[in-house]
Amino acid sequence: MLDARKKQVLQAIVDDYVSTSEPVGSKSLIERHNFSVSSATLRNDMAELEKMGLIEKPHTSAGRIPSDKGYREYVNSLMRMDVLTEQDKSDIQARISDSVSQVTDLIRNAADTLSDMTGYVSLALTPKLAKSYLTQLKMMMIEPGKALVVVVLSVGVVKDKIVRIPNFLTNEQIYQISNAVERGLCGKSLDEITLITVASSVKDTPIPDSLLNQILYEAYVTIKQADKLDVYLEGEHKLLSLPEFKELSRAQDLLGTLADDGMVAGYVSELGNSYDETKDDKYLIRIGQEITLEGLEECSFITTTYNVGGVLSGNIGIIGPKRMEYSKVISQIDFVRMTLNDEIKKLTE
């Protein structure tokens, strides 16, 4: 159990190490903070914190740095949340709402904004859309043998795909098929739509089955792929300027993991499933060894959820060094989350 002074010492070590990236000694603690005890007393406190696994001694340095456990104690018990300025809030709102016509535009803007504000890697995952329903399906011929299929979902998400079609299909036939599929499937959720329901929607269309089958299959695949989990990663290069990643091998491991966005998306999606609905926490934090992705041992994940249509949720957050200003970053993420929720609501109402 930490007494009041040890909590102050741990908090001071974390704050100083975050700002300087240099190990912290008792002398510097006295110089930078208002401790009314001797350097010897502080050294004793630091020794106790080290025994508890909250700080550690890197190499031969006389100073100490926070351990993963120490960062966790800091985040859970010692951190004081920052308050964003009105200018910061205004800038975030303007950037997220700029030039958007779709929910996916808002999500991309939010990821860009978060990366620029924090100086770290931002990530955003689109929601799982299986429970949303189809509102529109359009097919347009691009050239003989190719068509654009556009799927519009109830939550304002638009997905499109270029597909191959029989060369003999005319614009009029594609229009008939598109209208029939839209009439038959409009209002059905993605998880209700099967190849059979797609085929049933055009049973009265006066087009030979030999022409129908391929385009119906392509329409079905496009509809089902609308539920694909997309991940946006921004600012991967920003971590390379930090001391934690100055070693080439460590930087390569980091970038190698981030390059596999499917693996990152899967991990973040699993994190999203571990939110405790009974608590008021709006974000999840994973620090160092708590992250099970190789190459991110010197990193922290901070993620939160945003809402689409009141029933669907996606994830947004950052990947940064363990040595980050958690209180500031969490405040930024939280306001981005709230702004994204508000803007999505405006766009989808």
Side-chain angles (χ1 to χ4, degrees):
M1 189 73 176
L2 292 177
D3 60 33
R5 192 175 66 237
K6 288 188 181 66
K7 288 181 180 180
Q8 289 179 322
V9 172
L10 177 59
Q11 183 168 7
I13 290 173
V14 173
D15 290 341
D16 284 4
Y17 185 61
V18 165
S19 63
T20 67
S21 75
E22 296 292 335
V24 182
S26 57
K27 182 179 179 182
S28 64
L29 284 178
I30 289 178
E31 291 173 351
R32 293 174 183 164
H33 302 274
N34 188 29
F35 286 108
S36 56
V37 295
S38 67
S39 181
T41 299
L42 282 182
R43 283 196 296 272
N44 289 335
D45 287 338
M46 292 171 72
E48 288 297 317
L49 291 172
E50 189 171 0
K51 286 180 182 178
M52 297 170 71
L54 297 171
I55 60 175
E56 56 194 20
K57 184 177 182 179
H59 309 302
T60 58
S61 170
R64 302 293 185 274
I65 65 172
S67 65
D68 290 1
K69 184 179 178 181
Y71 282 120
R72 171 55 62 191
E73 178 68 23
Y74 174 84
V75 166
N76 287 354
S77 305
L78 305 176
M79 181 176 63
R80 295 186 294 268
M81 291 297 292
D82 272 20
V83 177
L84 296 185
T85 67
E86 291 305 313
Q87 185 62 54
D88 284 340
K89 292 179 181 179
S90 178
D91 290 345
I92 290 172
Q93 291 168 330
R95 288 194 53 171
I96 291 179
S97 62
D98 181 48
S99 303
V100 295
S101 58
Q102 299 179 23
V103 170
T104 48
D105 295 331
L106 288 170
I107 296 169
R108 286 192 185 97
N109 284 359
D112 284 338
T113 301
L114 205 48
S115 178
D116 288 345
M117 288 191 67
T118 61
Y120 302 140
V121 179
S122 67
L123 58 98
L125 267 64
T126 54
K128 293 183 178 179
L129 301 169
K131 298 301 180 184
S132 60
Y133 57 86
L134 188 76
T135 59
Q136 295 182 58
L137 184 137
K138 305 298 180 186
M139 301 180 192
M140 294 156 278
M141 182 181 288
I142 298 175
E143 60 183 57
K146 285 186 181 180
L148 177 68
V149 180
V150 180
V151 175
V152 182
L153 303 178
S154 56
V155 292
V157 171
V158 180
K159 297 289 184 81
D160 57 61
K161 183 183 178 185
I162 296 175
V163 302
R164 292 197 173 277
I165 60 174
N167 290 330
F168 304 107
L169 276 172
T170 66
N171 275 320
E172 177 61 28
Q173 288 173 320
I174 291 175
Y175 178 76
Q176 287 180 327
I177 295 169
S178 176
N179 280 355
V181 173
E182 183 178 272
R183 284 196 305 270
L185 301 182
C186 187
K188 290 185 180 296
S189 64
L190 291 187
D191 56 3
E192 289 180 294
I193 296 173
T194 66
L195 189 54
I196 293 174
T197 58
V198 174
S200 298
S201 68
V202 296
K203 61 184 179 181
D204 297 326
T205 304
I207 298 173
D209 289 346
S210 58
L211 296 180
L212 271 176
N213 290 339
Q214 183 179 343
I215 191 168
L216 289 180
Y217 177 75
E218 295 290 359
Y220 166 73
V221 169
T222 304
I223 292 169
K224 300 306 280 187
Q225 286 183 345
D227 191 31
K228 177 178 176 289
L229 197 66
D230 293 325
V231 58
Y232 305 113
L233 282 173
E234 301 292 340
E236 294 94 323
H237 64 283
K238 293 177 181 177
L239 295 186
L240 299 183
S241 62
L242 301 175
E244 289 86 346
F245 304 103
K246 64 182 178 181
E247 293 181 11
L248 180 60
S249 60
R250 185 171 284 177
Q252 288 174 330
D253 289 344
L254 171 71
L255 293 180
T257 297
L258 295 181
D260 190 344
D261 56 6
M263 181 170 63
V264 175
Y267 178 75
V268 175
S269 182
E270 287 180 11
L271 281 184
N273 292 334
S274 63
Y275 278 90
D276 188 342
E277 298 292 342
T278 65
K279 294 183 179 180
D280 293 331
D281 293 343
K282 300 181 182 71
Y283 47 84
L284 282 173
I285 302 173
R286 293 292 180 267
I287 300 169
Q289 299 300 321
E290 297 172 358
I291 302 172
T292 56
L293 295 178
E294 186 177 349
L296 301 186
E297 296 84 1
E298 295 300 318
C299 294
S300 285
F301 257 112
I302 304 178
T303 61
T304 188
T305 59
Y306 63 89
N307 295 314
V308 180
V311 293
L312 304 174
S313 63
N315 302 92
I316 189 166
I318 64 99
I319 304 170
K322 291 187 294 186
R323 183 187 55 83
M324 71 166 71
E325 292 183 79
Y326 289 93
S327 57
K328 181 177 181 180
V329 171
I330 291 170
S331 295
Q332 292 167 332
I333 291 174
D334 198 42
F335 192 75
V336 166
R337 176 191 63 82
M338 290 190 293
T339 302
L340 184 55
N341 284 343
D342 290 343
E343 294 300 325
I344 289 174
K345 187 176 181 181
K346 291 177 189 176
L347 197 62
T348 56
E349 282 184 340

